[in-house]
Amino acid sequence: MTAGTDGVRALFRGSFGAEPTGCWRAPGRVNLIGEHTDYNDGFVLPFAIDRATTVALAPRDDDRVRLVSTFDGALVESDLGAVDRRDFAGWSAYPLGVAWAIGERHAGAERRGFDVAVDSDVPVGAGLSSSAAIEMAVAVALNDVWGLGLDRAELARIGQRAENIAVGAPTGIMDQSASVFGEADAAVFLDCRTLDVQQVPLGFDAAGLVLLVVDTKVEHQHSTGGYRDRRDACERGAAAMGVPALRDVTVDDLPRAQELLDDVTFRRVRHVVTEDARVLESVAALRSGDLARFGALMDASHVSMRDDFEISVPQLDAVVATAQAAGAVGARMTGGGFGGCAIALVRADAAAALAVDVLRVFAARGWREPVPFTVVPSDGARAV
Ligand code: GLA
């Protein structure tokens, strides 16, 4: 668990026989609204959660890299030469991919080897960006020990590059940005074209609300299949509309899009264009304390993902329907889709009963047991 740094320090000491230089911590995320908009240069509104990766790290005087984690306990050995040849696999592709991406983007950076121990309590494969948490914990650590002086937006870009190349998933910049820019009790309103960030105070706690996450346990992978296909459809749509990215298409342009595009591509475009508009409206609603309006936008976002973008699955729809029947302020699937998690904004005193309802619905349909838990908007990546 990452509640403290004792465990990861002990793992470092036990594996490498020395004290680490320090510990760094970076959280996973949930996305409140703005799905599949990041790689369309659009808007997203995620927050960093209270589950994180912690690393204990020390630089070395040579080029060797040694990694150990609580995931499997095995010691992985490499060196910067192998890293630069992108010779890495398994979970170590995340930290090594970051070391590679720093070299790629900053040819003059003085890199040395390092020893690192990794621990995480972000559930893996649930769509809560466990990989971005590892990337950003290692990125802030190497930024410090290598004295790189890179700003947070650049660290997010490095993490995205690591994910795209080392892991082969053609994902956008949202997850890494949420992990570095997160702040307690706030969402990260990010313009994915400029990487301009504004913190949007959420005030869920003050309003007596919590965000319930339900991990459906339906497994998804973004390096293959549907995610890539949706991304291709968006690029086709933007090209047909004669714009660099769907960010440049507005709701008023949709009738023209419908004339130009085949039905499927049009519906993919309509999701992205209306989702960008929903993010902007959500930010305004949250800033004026209109949580009911925000909840309605969450609901509308889910419908758009289910019917137009077609990335939901029956389990995600069931969580959303159950939450809505229980009187949730709003509910939607979150993340890339095809599995993973749904979220519901609910009264704090109703969250436990909703969790029980969801378990019952899944059991009645013979689905794998889901895992409900609440998350709290938390601070982003930092030294601890
Ligand atoms: C995944 C990707 C993100 C983003 C979401 C969909 O989480 O990693 O970059 O595209 O899907 O919003």
Side-chain angles (χ1 to χ4, degrees):
M1 296 296 282
T2 48
T5 56
D6 294 354
V8 77
R9 273 183 189 278
L11 178 65
F12 188 98
R13 233 181 272 122
S15 307
F16 306 124
E19 284 296 323
T21 305
C23 290
W24 291 261
R25 182 180 159 86
R29 63 99 187 91
V30 290
N31 189 18
L32 284 174
I33 196 161
E35 224 67 79
H36 287 263
T37 46
D38 61 353
Y39 56 79
N40 288 302
D41 276 4
F43 304 103
V44 292
L45 192 67
F47 70 71
I49 59 175
D50 50 329
R51 296 193 174 214
T53 293
T54 307
V55 301
L57 186 146
R60 300 174 53 92
D61 294 330
D62 57 19
D63 274 357
R64 286 179 77 198
V65 180
R66 297 187 299 174
L67 311 96
V68 67
S69 79
T70 52
F71 310 140
D72 58 9
L75 187 76
V76 179
E77 299 214 36
S78 186
D79 58 66
L80 288 181
V83 165
D84 288 346
R85 292 192 304 278
R86 299 191 212 163
D87 179 5
F88 36 65
W91 73 268
S92 67
Y94 301 109
L96 294 178
V98 167
W100 166 78
I102 290 172
E104 186 206 41
R105 292 182 61 89
H106 301 275
E110 267 197 48
R111 293 177 304 152
R112 282 173 295 161
F114 57 92
D115 293 331
V116 63
V118 180
D119 182 27
S120 184
D121 67 358
V122 186
V124 172
L128 298 176
S129 300
S130 56
S131 55
I134 300 175
E135 289 151 8
M136 292 299 91
V138 170
V140 286
L142 293 179
N143 193 37
D144 284 355
V145 303
W146 286 347
L148 301 174
L150 303 174
D151 66 22
R152 289 187 166 252
E154 178 56 19
L155 294 178
R157 286 198 181 90
I158 284 166
Q160 183 197 13
R161 186 82 178 122
E163 181 95 24
N164 290 167
I165 296 303
V167 189
T171 48
I173 190 91
M174 169 169 73
D175 307 342
Q176 291 79 11
S177 301
S179 185
V180 286
F181 288 116
E183 275 184 20
D185 202 26
V188 175
F189 171 37
L190 178 74
D191 179 333
C192 299
R193 173 167 277 170
T194 61
L195 292 199
D196 280 346
V197 171
Q198 292 174 35
Q199 310 293 340
V200 179
L202 290 171
F204 291 164
D205 197 30
L209 299 174
V210 291
L211 195 82
L212 184 75
V213 175
V214 178
D215 179 0
T216 62
K217 292 285 171 183
V218 177
E219 279 160 29
H220 66 289
Q221 249 191 359
H222 295 330
S223 47
T224 52
Y227 187 97
R228 193 178 289 274
D229 169 81
R230 297 305 183 277
R231 196 171 171 151
D232 290 345
C234 292
E235 280 163 17
R236 263 198 325 273
M241 295 292 289
V243 292
L246 291 183
R247 151 70 173 273
D248 303 301
V249 178
T250 67
V251 173
D252 290 342
D253 297 327
L254 286 176
R256 189 168 68 90
Q258 191 160 21
E259 277 168 25
L260 283 173
L261 304 171
D262 64 85
D263 174 60
V264 170
T265 311
F266 169 66
R267 287 186 293 112
R268 305 299 187 247
V269 168
R270 181 165 62 186
H271 164 71
V272 172
V273 171
T274 57
E275 185 80 347
D276 270 334
R278 281 186 289 271
V279 175
L280 299 179
E281 216 193 309
S282 293
V283 170
L286 288 166
R287 288 212 165 111
S288 65
D290 189 350
L291 287 166
R293 178 64 196 145
F294 172 60
L297 291 160
M298 291 175 78
D299 294 346
S301 170
H302 186 78
V303 170
S304 178
M305 290 188 284
R306 187 191 62 200
D307 298 347
D308 271 356
F309 219 59
E310 296 179 283
I311 55 170
S312 191
V313 296
Q315 287 86 341
L316 291 165
D317 294 340
V319 175
V320 169
T322 307
Q324 286 164 343
V329 176
R332 61 190 286 281
M333 53 150 282
T334 186
F338 308 102
C341 292
I343 55 173
L345 186 59
V346 282
R347 282 203 336 269
D349 59 12
L354 173 54
V356 171
D357 282 354
V358 168
L359 289 170
R360 201 181 296 128
V361 166
F362 274 54
R365 301 207 190 161
W367 290 335
R368 210 172 150 187
E369 187 172 317
V371 181
F373 53 95
T374 55
V375 290
V376 177
S378 302
D379 284 326
R382 64 189 188 285
V384 284

